[in-house]
Amino acid sequence: MIGRIGLRVVVVLLLGTLLAGAWLFGTSAGTRVVIAYVSGLTPNLKLRHESGTLFGPLHLRKVVIETRRNDLEIDGLVIDWSPACLLVGSACLRDVSARQVELRLSAAPPPAAAAGAPRRGPPSLRLPLELDAGRISVARFDIVQGAQRTRFEDVEAALNWDGDALRIDRLALAMPGWQASASGTLTTGGDWPVDALLQFRLPRAGEPTLQMHGHASGTLVNLVLDAGSSGVLAARLHGTLQLFEPRLPLRATLQAERIDLPSAQDSIVQLTAVRLAASGTLLERLTVEGNAQLATPWLPVLPASLSATGDWRG
């Protein structure tokens, strides 16, 4: 008799747990309770539920992640995933989209590394399960640092993360006047080795274009870029970029046999045998120097020296 009563109690408790879990994760009201609890438990994370359930699709009106130096704010986040994939140790994201993402960086530069301090670099990262993202899309992605705002548009990605390496099937983004895409692999350990193909198009369709195809190798600590361009400029580019140093130090060389320049007359003015070298930092001050030969129909070939300063915006 006592054994039957104990069994009934266990069954009732089990059913109650299942019903409570189904209500929390499978209904909009329950999901709102879970999200409010998580937001209250984590001071640096703020979530505002709009509709949907944790079983998906889930609509979040706003997500805010705050750290000591940087803040991330996501508006209009929609997550559609398959919970059944967890049974085979995988997180399957069918579709993740956001109306706007804003990354606010600290206006102050990071402190300089002390003498003898270990080199800056990304931490090793290993996921406990595989991540398969069929489609990630962001309508607008803003990076804000002080008074400077950089906006990327139409960001799309499809990727797979097996725990040790990130395979990017497609990553595409745009800014007013240009488009870029990439595909390849990124190992998430050590200095994060990179092996990726890059494409760049400037400007957009309907106007004279500059197309660039390249290869990124090395690591995220010391990224090596090799590229060739076609269209209005046929050139070869080689450079290195240090992504984890302040202001992003950059060194690059460009070689082109010919660059056509606009002219007041119908005749074409050309720069030939162009050799340029750039050094400095991508975010603060970049110096470009080099030489070329100026060729015009009405003058003999003249040697030319080229020099400019700026940042990645121009």
Side-chain angles (χ1 to χ4, degrees):
M1 185 68 178
I2 297 178
R4 291 181 179 178
I5 294 176
L7 180 60
R8 290 175 181 174
V9 170
V10 170
V11 171
V12 169
L13 290 175
L14 181 60
L15 289 176
T17 302
L18 292 175
L19 290 174
W23 181 78
L24 287 173
F25 296 97
T27 67
S28 182
T31 296
R32 191 175 296 111
V33 170
V34 173
I35 289 176
Y37 176 76
V38 172
S39 295
L41 194 65
T42 311
N44 296 336
L45 175 64
K46 299 177 183 178
L47 304 172
R48 292 180 61 186
H49 177 260
E50 183 168 336
S51 63
T53 71
L54 291 174
F55 286 150
L58 175 63
H59 298 243
L60 297 177
R61 183 178 305 172
K62 186 178 291 290
V63 177
V64 178
I65 302 173
E66 299 174 340
T67 67
R68 289 189 305 169
R69 298 192 60 83
N70 307 320
D71 296 332
L72 179 66
E73 184 172 320
I74 306 174
D75 292 331
L77 177 63
V78 180
I79 303 174
D80 185 12
W81 70 299
S82 175
C85 287
L86 295 176
L87 298 176
V88 294
S90 178
C92 301
L93 303 177
R94 289 190 288 257
D95 194 348
V96 178
S97 63
R99 183 172 57 252
Q100 181 169 353
V101 175
E102 182 172 290
L103 176 61
R104 292 188 291 270
L105 305 177
S106 172
R119 183 180 55 176
R120 290 186 176 93
S124 295
L125 183 60
R126 178 178 174 81
L127 292 183
L129 46 75
E130 182 178 343
L131 174 65
D132 188 7
R135 180 176 179 268
I136 300 174
S137 62
V138 179
R140 296 192 304 274
F141 191 118
D142 290 347
I143 300 177
V144 181
Q145 186 171 34
Q148 298 179 351
R149 177 181 294 267
T150 303
R151 170 164 293 181
F152 299 98
E153 301 173 346
D154 304 326
V155 180
E156 290 194 5
L159 52 88
N160 177 273
W161 199 342
D162 64 6
D164 295 313
L166 180 66
R167 187 185 74 245
I168 303 171
D169 297 322
R170 172 175 167 78
L171 172 63
L173 54 86
M175 286 183 68
W178 63 261
Q179 299 168 326
S181 63
S183 62
T185 58
L186 176 64
T187 302
T188 56
D191 286 344
W192 290 45
V194 179
D195 184 11
L197 298 177
L198 310 174
Q199 293 186 11
F200 178 86
R201 181 183 175 91
L202 172 76
R204 294 188 176 182
E207 302 177 31
T209 60
L210 169 65
Q211 297 183 8
M212 184 172 289
H213 301 265
H215 179 242
S217 59
T219 68
L220 286 190
V221 172
N222 192 42
L223 191 64
V224 179
L225 302 172
D226 288 284
S229 65
S230 61
V232 296
L233 172 64
R236 294 295 306 176
L237 173 70
H238 173 79
T240 59
L241 178 63
Q242 297 176 1
L243 294 174
F244 285 86
E245 292 298 323
R247 305 304 184 189
L248 305 182
L250 170 71
R251 289 186 177 275
T253 59
L254 181 142
Q255 299 183 5
E257 296 307 314
R258 188 187 72 183
I259 300 177
D260 294 336
L261 303 177
S263 172
Q265 287 80 14
D266 294 334
S267 304
I268 297 176
V269 177
Q270 296 178 342
L271 285 177
T272 61
V274 180
R275 303 292 184 268
L276 299 177
S279 61
T281 58
L282 195 61
L283 297 183
E284 190 174 55
R285 182 179 177 86
L286 196 63
T287 300
V288 180
E289 296 179 339
N291 54 71
Q293 293 182 342
L294 179 64
T296 68
W298 55 88
L299 291 174
V301 175
L302 301 173
S305 296
L306 309 173
S307 179
T309 59
D311 58 19
W312 71 277
R313 288 177 294 270

